[in-house]
Amino acid sequence: MNRNDLRRVDMNLLVIFEALMFEKNLTRVAEKLFMGQPAVSAALGRLRDLFDDPLLLRNGRGMEPTGRALAILKELQPAMDVISGAVSRAKEFDPTTSCDVFRIGLSDDAEFGLFPPLLRQLQEEAPGIVVVVRRANYLLMPALLASGEISVGVSYTTDLPANAKCKKLRDIPCKVLRGDKRPGVLTLDEYCERPHAMVSFSGDLSGNIDLDLAKIGRSRRVVLGVPQFSGLRALLAGTEMVATVPDYAACALVEGCGLRAEDPPFPIEAAQLSMAWSGVHDNDPAERWLRSRIGEFMSRPLPIVG
């Protein structure tokens, strides 16, 4: 196909194709792209004609891409990234007049403990923008960035897509939250004997805290796992349960309630909270502005809690 033939190719079809390859579900693609499902189905038909391949095949209740579809995606994605980046860089960005939609991935601790002051600043500087937050953690972040569902994410991170960039925002020291009225701080023995609540997105009941305890030959008893930090305020109040959480989550949780936070009675290796973004947005003026605000507000020193 030469350059003149490209005039017959609808760029919208390629955007739908990419979404179909990641979502493998017509309904989810329709929701993601704000389209009707019949329109997505019609687009899939046109894509099958364009590439002379079924592209997606039924596999039980789901759909799976064909080998040719995956090969096409591998070739198309870098080209689409280049086009998207070129178009983005051509735009000037004025936060006071912008109506852009920003899609951010946040881990629950970052959303609960660090996002509110950031959001207030974004709304003050750019009152016309829309911010969409997706729940992200180290397991979800790579796919969300690779698919373009978010342009930037904040979380503890491990593996990232090849074209992603990453910047450390802060260390994540821990605090022990408690809602009882006993005087004094917890000793190591008391910490290990108390029932523990744990925030776990995946439902696991062990984590890095348990690894650090194991290093000194100790263990804890987790009796409650919850998916969000916001629930701890009511769940710990007036009980013997304790929870070990990032310091910025503790700072938000103790505000205006009966919970208190103290340093853990044993050394905990601090993880890192990082900001990751797709390389295609690296020079986008709007995304650079957003990342500058995330970096400024999510790396600020915290008030002392304890």
Side-chain angles (χ1 to χ4, degrees), residues 35 249 269:
M35 299 172 63
E269 184 176 347

Side-chain angles (χ1 to χ4, degrees), residues 52-72:
D52 192 24
D53 188 83
L55 301 180
L56 284 172
L57 296 174
R58 286 284 174 193
N59 182 9
R61 293 185 177 181
M63 302 180 81
E64 290 296 329
T66 64
R68 176 157 167 71
L70 293 174
I72 293 168

Side-chain angles (χ1 to χ4, degrees), residues 236-247:
L236 295 182
T239 76
E240 291 291 295
M241 280 194 300
V242 297
T244 309
V245 303
D247 60 347

Side-chain angles (χ1 to χ4, degrees), residues 129-145:
I129 67 169
V130 176
V131 179
V132 179
V133 175
R134 295 287 303 273
R135 180 57 47 80
N137 59 18
Y138 74 98
L139 296 172
L140 300 177
M141 185 85 77
L144 289 170
L145 285 170

Side-chain angles (χ1 to χ4, degrees), residues 176-178 182 185-197 209-223 240-244 262-268:
V176 179
L177 279 179
R178 51 191 292 199
R182 296 188 192 183
V185 298
L186 292 174
T187 66
L188 178 59
D189 285 340
E190 290 169 334
Y191 177 90
C192 294
E193 290 166 3
R194 288 284 191 98
H196 286 251
I209 301 299
D210 301 280
L211 297 177
D212 289 320
L213 278 170
K215 291 176 185 176
I216 58 172
R218 306 300 294 264
S219 62
R220 63 176 177 169
R221 182 168 58 96
V222 177
V223 301
E240 291 291 295
M241 280 194 300
V242 297
T244 309
E262 59 192 51
D263 292 329
F266 64 99
I268 295 177

Side-chain angles (χ1 to χ4, degrees), residues 147-165:
S147 67
E149 293 177 72
I150 61 173
S151 62
V152 60
V154 176
S155 175
Y156 163 75
T157 57
T158 52
D159 298 325
L160 291 169
N163 72 336
K165 298 181 179 292

Side-chain angles (χ1 to χ4, degrees), residues 9 30-31 47 166 192 195 203 212 216 226 237 258 262 273 277:
V9 178
E31 292 172 351
L47 285 163
C166 189
C192 294
D212 289 320
I216 58 172
V226 294
E262 59 192 51
L273 189 75
W277 64 96

Side-chain angles (χ1 to χ4, degrees), residues 3 6 11 14 18 72-87 89 163 280:
R3 295 294 173 90
L6 281 174
M11 188 68 182
L14 302 184
E18 184 182 45
I72 293 168
L73 177 67
K74 187 175 180 180
E75 289 189 44
L76 274 180
Q77 268 200 296
M80 293 178 69
D81 285 346
V82 170
I83 293 169
S84 176
V87 172
R89 286 190 292 275
N163 72 336
V280 70

